[in-house]
Amino acid sequence: MLKLLSKIFVLLLPLALALSSCGDQVSSTPQTPTDQTMKHHDTPHIKQEKFGSVDGQDIIQYTLSNPAGMEVKIINYGGTLTSIMVPDSAGRWGDVLLGFDSLQGYLQKENPYIGCLVGRYANRIANGKFTVNGKVYQLPLNNNGNSLHGGQKGFSRVVWTAKPLPETNSVQLNYHSKDGEEGYPGSLNVQVVYTVTNVNELKIEYLATTDKGTPVNLTNHAYFNLSAGKDSTVLGHTLTVNADHFTVVNDKQIPTGALDSVKGTPMDFNQPLAIKTNIDKVPGGYDHNWALRKSTPGEPELAATLYHQGTGRRLEVFTTEPGIQVYTGNFLDGSLTGKYGRKYVKHSGICLETQHFPDSPNHPSFPSTLLRPGEKYRQTTIYKFSTR
Ligand code: BGC
């Protein structure tokens, strides 16, 4: 009997140890530097701390880090990225993400989607209307008579279920969007996995399945400023976009269906170009979708590069998506104060939103965003940080 019990104990011990290191519980015990170093050699430690609560649900901030010291913070409210710490070319660390000090900042209604996940349909759907299987669906209109970023709450203002995955240095987020939620057909199960790799990448993997045909277009709305506070705007940053065409839009930023060549226009970022160079020639500033040059569909390929000369920080964006919405924070007007007491003035940050084209459900010539039962929506985007 004793023999049997000790056998069971030996068998169960590794399982108990694995579960205890899974970190499903909120741990507030600070790690000593030795702990950190040791943990990095085997399973990374994912710090968890309470960030606040929404409707009685705890909001937890997770910190993913790598042996090089890169640190990414994520909260389960909106699956929001709250901080990305990366070094400059002299090894000085800085936070390259716009964000707020507390949950209140993210909850305020003026929060312009800072750092959050966006869905069920990122970007605009004209008149909030589309047809699936002959049935017309009407979404609530929240942007100049159109639907923007999935509706009133979308996936940005909801609480996601979060699970740390120390084995892969990831945080997995899940959200169940009900049939009819925000006007969309079908109940949609969404999973987003944020991973920090040892080569200073933040990888975002999206997965979704549905039980009825529905448009799906997911992205993240991080605002970057690689100067980490040195420059109040990104106008001096250099941008490269791997695209020959962009989607032409009307005065309400709805695609006409046409794809125009970037050649000879302020939209040509095939060679690295300071954002300020031509921004004045673009009414309102950059807030457009570029059609990316792709060679291997389904593989993450280089879409854009952002560079800040003053600090030497560089961000390369790789994606499986056919498009990227480059938004230069044109609607920021200095009325919001973010982390480190910084005022978010016009062009304080730039969003590099990898996605399908806006209003695809109403443009059969655009790559399809329709997800059917039995199919899997997948998208992968990698934000890779380095210095030069
Ligand atoms: C859109 C902008 C919009 C902003 C909201 C961007 O993705 O393209 O037009 O104002 O999101 O923060």
Side-chain angles (χ1 to χ4, degrees):
M1 178 66 176
L2 205 63
K3 234 176 164 184
L4 182 69
L5 278 178
S6 66
K7 219 172 185 177
I8 293 175
F9 178 74
V10 169
L11 282 173
L12 289 181
L13 188 65
L15 181 69
L17 285 176
L19 283 177
S20 71
S21 74
C22 246
D24 263 339
Q25 262 115 48
V26 180
S27 118
S28 55
T29 328
Q31 298 291 310
T32 63
T34 343
D35 274 347
Q36 292 274 7
T37 338
M38 281 170 56
K39 289 267 168 62
H40 277 135
H41 287 299
D42 38 72
T43 307
H45 173 73
I46 299 172
K47 188 174 152 201
Q48 304 179 43
E49 57 205 332
K50 190 164 170 186
F51 199 67
S53 62
V54 172
D55 302 332
Q57 286 170 282
D58 278 352
I59 302 303
I60 307 296
Q61 180 163 262
Y62 299 84
T63 306
L64 295 172
S65 57
N66 69 8
M70 176 180 174
E71 233 179 50
V72 174
K73 293 182 193 285
I74 300 143
I75 55 171
N76 58 323
Y77 177 71
T80 304
L81 290 167
T82 55
S83 159
I84 298 182
M85 292 291 286
V86 283
D88 67 9
S89 51
R92 283 177 299 242
W93 294 85
D95 186 351
V96 294
L97 206 63
L98 270 53
F100 299 104
D101 283 322
S102 69
L103 184 60
Q104 294 323 310
Y106 293 98
L107 292 174
Q108 62 188 312
K109 72 171 191 320
E110 296 79 14
N111 170 13
Y113 300 87
I114 290 195
C116 60
L117 296 171
V118 188
R120 185 178 299 202
Y121 197 96
N123 219 315
R124 294 173 173 79
I125 295 184
N127 309 310
K129 209 179 249 183
F130 59 86
T131 307
V132 178
N133 295 332
K135 190 167 172 205
V136 178
Y137 292 89
Q138 179 65 60
L139 310 174
L141 308 177
N142 60 347
N143 187 264
N144 290 322
N146 301 307
S147 169
L148 175 68
H149 291 337
Q152 306 301 334
K153 288 186 165 196
F155 295 174
S156 309
R157 289 183 174 271
V158 294
V159 181
W160 292 61
T161 306
K163 184 174 163 198
L165 303 174
E167 295 303 325
T168 50
N169 206 19
S170 315
V171 172
Q172 177 185 307
L173 296 160
N174 287 86
Y175 181 67
H176 175 78
S177 168
K178 296 194 193 78
D179 187 8
E181 190 173 308
E182 299 275 18
Y184 287 92
S187 83
L188 189 77
N189 282 314
V190 191
Q191 179 173 299
V192 177
V193 178
Y194 286 110
T195 303
V196 168
T197 72
N198 285 353
V199 288
N200 287 2
E201 295 165 333
L202 168 64
K203 185 157 134 192
I204 315 180
E205 290 163 294
Y206 303 76
L207 177 69
T209 51
T210 185
D211 62 2
K212 274 185 199 164
T214 178
V216 178
N217 190 28
L218 306 178
T219 195
N220 178 282
H221 211 278
Y223 289 71
F224 299 98
N225 183 322
L226 299 181
S227 80
K230 275 196 165 174
D231 297 353
S232 56
T233 75
V234 292
L235 292 172
H237 284 48
T238 302
L239 179 69
T240 316
V241 181
N242 190 21
D244 297 318
H245 296 91
F246 66 100
T247 46
V248 181
V249 288
N250 69 15
D251 60 346
K252 291 194 173 131
Q253 293 174 272
I254 296 295
T256 61
L259 286 176
D260 263 10
S261 167
V262 297
K263 240 196 164 111
T265 78
M267 311 299 281
D268 193 351
F269 282 95
N270 278 297
Q271 299 305 319
L273 194 68
I275 291 170
K276 64 181 169 208
T277 315
N278 290 318
I279 196 168
D280 288 344
K281 298 183 192 128
V282 182
Y286 292 107
D287 191 1
H288 296 80
N289 169 66
W290 273 257
L292 296 166
R293 267 196 305 274
K294 297 237 26 121
S295 47
T296 321
E299 283 301 311
E301 292 176 309
L302 186 64
T305 305
L306 188 67
Y307 177 65
H308 179 250
Q309 199 172 9
T311 57
R313 285 198 190 91
R314 177 171 58 184
L315 163 61
E316 289 163 293
V317 183
F318 299 83
T319 189
T320 51
E321 292 303 277
I324 189 168
Q325 180 86 7
V326 175
Y327 169 57
T328 47
N330 313 325
F331 298 112
L332 299 174
D333 60 5
S335 59
L336 290 171
T337 304
K339 292 179 286 183
Y340 318 102
R342 287 179 199 143
K343 283 221 173 312
Y344 291 148
V345 297
K346 192 170 181 178
H347 309 313
S348 286
I350 180 170
C351 300
L352 299 166
E353 307 161 48
T354 52
Q355 53 188 244
H356 271 60
F357 302 174
D359 200 27
S360 297
N362 295 307
H363 294 281
S365 61
F366 290 175
S368 173
T369 51
L370 180 65
L371 181 72
R372 299 181 191 87
E375 294 177 342
K376 279 194 166 77
Y377 167 94
R378 283 184 195 278
Q379 93 108 312
T380 301
T381 293
I382 298 163
Y383 292 109
K384 183 179 170 66
F385 296 89
S386 56
T387 57
R388 184 155 67 84

